[in-house]
Amino acid sequence: MPVDQVVISYIRHRNWMNVLLLRSMNLYKEVLGESPTQKIEVSPNGICWSEQNLEYRIMVDKFFDIEVKTEQGEPPYSLVEVQNNNLAFGLGLRRIRHRMVEQLTVDVEQANLIQRIEPLTPYSFHCSNCANELIERRQYLQVKEVPLSTMKPQNYFCARYRSPVYPREDELFFGLNYLVISIQLLGNGVTSTRGRRRLECSRCKQSVGEFLGRDVAVELYADAIRLLAGDSPVLEFKEIFGHVTATQMMLRLLHDADPTNPEKTRLFLKAVRPDGQLHYLLLQVDTREMHILRSELDTSEDLESAKALPMEADTSSESDFEMSISDVSSSSTSSTSSSTITSSPQTGVEDRSLSKPKTADGIPPKSVRYVQLRGYRGCRVKFSFSGTDHNLTENNEIFTTWRNDGCRMLRISYAMMAELIGELHANENLVAVLEMTPPPSVSDKLRLSYIIYETDEEFYARQQKFTKRSA
């Protein structure tokens, strides 16, 4: 069974990397047609996975030198864990080329939010629940993003140690899931709660925003309001923001995360489903820099072209893959192997480079594929999601603890919450296999996942690939 994808995770300042060879993109799908002979070979510059006449060479020498000897000069003892023939193992690193790791890692910048409010176009704002008019129709001369990269508008409009920023009546600022306008624009459609902190729709009492500072400005929740643009007599509500990927959300949200120690920070996110159901998401984020190396996914077109072109034949010794017996930790499996395989040091073997045997007459040559890896940044996240009244009641104690510790609740839209949860769920099974932890399960404990930072272009291209493959 061919390898679908290779995933390697590395946390900076650790001399260790986790490796996962995915032989099926479905982690719980049994792999059929297993080869009777399979072998993993590790050298200082890469990993070789072979079965019968198919061999994959995963070269990591641009990033790392792998440790293949113990202090006693023997190959290190390693453990290979098999889950439905997907292989996971860890490798020690002798040398890390930090500069190359940085240069070969995709840099993702914080992108501009896609919003649909245009200057000089008249808009009225309405309650998303009952269509009550909250802000009367008017046009804004300036529509711009809050200058500071922050989820919390207080950091700009009511920042400490300087004068508050009062927006003019013709100015509209926006950030992730909020709009900021002048307090003078509030009309009869909005009422305030006791203490003048929270804003509600005067008709249905839905929470639609809050005051910033001492009446400095008004923050409106973008998911609680809808737009009516132009002079159309038909009431057509429009979403204010376009799609925001999990990567772009995390880049913004982490600006306002609550640090708990030098290596961890946390986020308390809230969303309201259209039917009024509350959703809470607790995120405990590891702030240590993390790199993910992964191979490009094969599309159906790639697979068809691969079938049409012959693969490289291995007919001589390979100088680019340093397979010295004394420097190799290897594991072999068979069709009757158990769920874990261990490799042990080899003794009594002459210390010389392996020369791959010539192909015998009548036996097809070994096919060799080189796996190209690409570097991504990411964050290691432990999370807990509460999406029902039962979950909210069960987890109320941890909610109270986080709030009492000073962790501020941040409101995002239901669509944004669904995007984050989808990304965390998509990666948590992969992470469980990669880090050899128990499979994820519904519990009151925080669950482990990754968010891998990728550009919007790559995200949408990947979604299109998955759509094609599942069609």
Side-chain angles (χ1 to χ4, degrees):
M1 179 73 181
V3 173
D4 272 353
Q5 190 178 178
V6 177
V7 182
I8 297 174
S9 67
Y10 159 70
I11 296 178
R12 192 174 178 88
H13 303 309
R14 281 193 175 182
N15 295 326
W16 186 263
M17 69 180 185
N18 293 317
V19 182
L20 172 62
L21 306 184
L22 276 173
R23 302 184 69 207
S24 168
M25 290 307 294
N26 184 346
L27 291 174
Y28 296 104
K29 178 181 178 182
E30 292 286 348
V31 178
L32 303 177
E34 182 184 356
S35 169
T37 58
Q38 306 171 17
K39 185 166 64 173
I40 296 174
E41 297 175 279
V42 178
S43 78
N45 63 347
I47 306 160
C48 178
W49 160 258
S50 60
E51 57 176 332
Q52 291 185 326
N53 292 319
L54 180 60
E55 182 177 295
Y56 289 89
R57 293 181 184 170
I58 307 157
M59 311 303 294
V60 299
D61 53 317
K62 292 181 180 179
F63 306 94
F64 314 110
D65 286 345
I66 300 174
E67 184 69 64
V68 292
K69 282 187 179 181
T70 63
E71 293 180 356
Q72 291 74 30
E74 297 177 343
Y77 183 88
S78 62
L79 176 69
V80 179
E81 187 170 287
V82 180
Q83 186 178 104
N84 296 331
N85 284 343
N86 298 304
L87 310 178
F89 50 95
L91 294 174
L93 301 175
R94 183 178 62 191
R95 180 186 176 191
I96 303 164
R97 296 176 172 83
H98 293 289
R99 182 177 297 178
M100 291 305 297
V101 170
E102 292 296 327
Q103 289 180 358
L104 298 175
T105 297
V106 175
D107 277 322
V108 181
E109 300 292 337
Q110 183 173 298
N112 295 327
L113 291 170
I114 302 173
Q115 57 84 28
R116 300 184 173 93
I117 303 178
E118 298 293 335
L120 304 180
T121 301
Y123 296 98
S124 56
F125 293 158
H126 299 256
C127 173
S128 64
N129 186 49
C130 68
N132 183 34
E133 185 178 85
L134 305 177
I135 308 296
E136 66 180 10
R137 181 168 299 175
R138 63 174 296 114
Q139 61 183 8
Y140 300 89
L141 299 182
Q142 295 188 46
V143 179
K144 52 188 177 183
E145 191 166 359
V146 175
L148 292 181
S149 298
T150 177
M151 168 69 180
K152 295 184 292 188
Q154 288 93 332
N155 289 4
Y156 176 71
F157 293 94
C158 308
R160 243 180 236 183
Y161 312 125
R162 65 181 179 86
S163 301
V165 178
Y166 292 84
R168 301 194 308 266
E169 293 185 30
D170 60 356
E171 287 182 321
L172 186 147
F173 294 88
F174 63 89
L176 186 61
N177 195 48
Y178 65 82
L179 305 174
V180 176
I181 59 173
S182 169
I183 200 171
Q184 304 302 322
L185 300 182
L186 293 180
N188 295 329
V190 180
T191 59
S192 60
T193 59
R194 184 179 299 177
R196 285 182 62 81
R197 299 310 313 152
R198 193 173 63 180
L199 297 171
E200 294 179 345
C201 170
S202 61
R203 181 184 296 172
C204 68
K205 302 305 179 182
Q206 176 187 216
S207 179
V208 296
E210 60 187 84
F211 288 99
L212 298 180
R214 297 181 178 179
D215 296 348
V216 172
V218 172
E219 173 193 0
L220 298 175
Y221 306 136
D223 64 305
I225 59 179
R226 294 295 182 267
L227 293 176
L228 177 60
D231 299 320
S232 173
V234 181
L235 197 64
E236 295 181 354
F237 293 131
K238 298 181 181 179
E239 296 288 348
I240 295 174
F241 291 108
H243 179 257
V244 184
T245 65
T247 294
Q248 289 299 320
M249 272 185 277
M250 287 302 294
L251 290 177
R252 290 171 177 274
L253 289 169
L254 286 176
H255 283 288
D256 288 300
D258 173 39
T260 56
N261 62 54
E263 293 185 348
K264 287 184 174 58
T265 188
R266 61 186 178 181
L267 288 162
F268 190 168
L269 304 181
K270 170 187 175 180
V272 182
R273 205 165 61 189
D275 62 2
Q277 175 66 59
L278 288 177
H279 284 179
Y280 286 162
L281 177 61
L282 305 180
L283 299 176
Q284 185 173 285
V285 185
D286 194 329
T287 56
R288 292 171 296 179
E289 187 175 5
M290 183 176 187
H291 292 268
I292 307 293
L293 308 180
R294 67 182 183 188
S295 57
E296 297 295 327
L297 290 173
D298 290 332
T299 62
S300 55
E301 291 85 355
D302 295 333
L303 293 175
E304 289 300 322
S305 61
K307 292 177 182 177
L309 295 174
M311 290 182 292
E312 179 183 345
D314 179 22
T315 58
S316 62
S317 64
E318 300 293 339
S319 60
D320 60 345
F321 201 82
E322 302 168 358
M323 283 301 168
S324 174
I325 284 291
S326 62
D327 284 356
V328 172
S329 170
S330 63
S331 300
S332 58
T333 66
S334 66
S335 57
T336 58
S337 61
S338 62
S339 62
T340 60
I341 311 125
T342 60
S343 65
S344 57
Q346 302 184 30
T347 59
V349 181
E350 184 181 354
D351 185 8
R352 59 181 175 81
S353 296
L354 266 182
S355 177
K356 304 290 183 180
K358 300 286 185 178
T359 303
D361 292 338
I363 300 177
K366 179 180 290 186
S367 298
V368 177
R369 288 183 180 175
Y370 286 86
V371 178
Q372 301 298 322
L373 298 175
R374 194 174 187 192
Y376 295 85
R377 286 181 173 82
C379 57
R380 191 173 183 270
V381 180
K382 290 185 177 180
F383 72 98
S384 174
F385 174 66
S386 302
T388 65
D389 289 341
H390 178 69
N391 297 147
L392 294 171
T393 302
E394 277 190 333
N395 297 325
N396 182 65
E397 185 175 346
I398 189 173
F399 300 154
T400 304
T401 301
W402 281 37
R403 294 299 299 272
N404 290 340
D405 287 345
C407 186
R408 184 177 184 269
M409 185 185 297
L410 304 176
R411 175 163 174 160
I412 60 176
S413 71
Y414 172 67
M416 292 174 183
M417 178 72 80
E419 185 69 31
L420 274 177
I421 291 296
E423 187 71 12
L424 292 169
H425 284 172
N427 291 334
E428 66 174 339
N429 290 317
L430 179 146
V431 174
V433 180
L434 183 66
E435 298 198 7
M436 300 184 191
T437 57
S441 60
V442 177
S443 68
D444 56 351
K445 295 182 179 179
L446 297 176
R447 298 158 65 171
L448 177 63
S449 188
Y450 294 165
I451 289 183
I452 302 173
Y453 296 155
E454 56 187 354
T455 63
D456 286 3
E457 293 76 15
E458 285 183 292
F459 172 83
Y460 293 120
R462 180 165 57 87
Q463 295 299 309
Q464 189 173 11
K465 286 181 181 180
F466 277 127
T467 302
K468 289 182 179 179
R469 291 184 71 166
S470 59

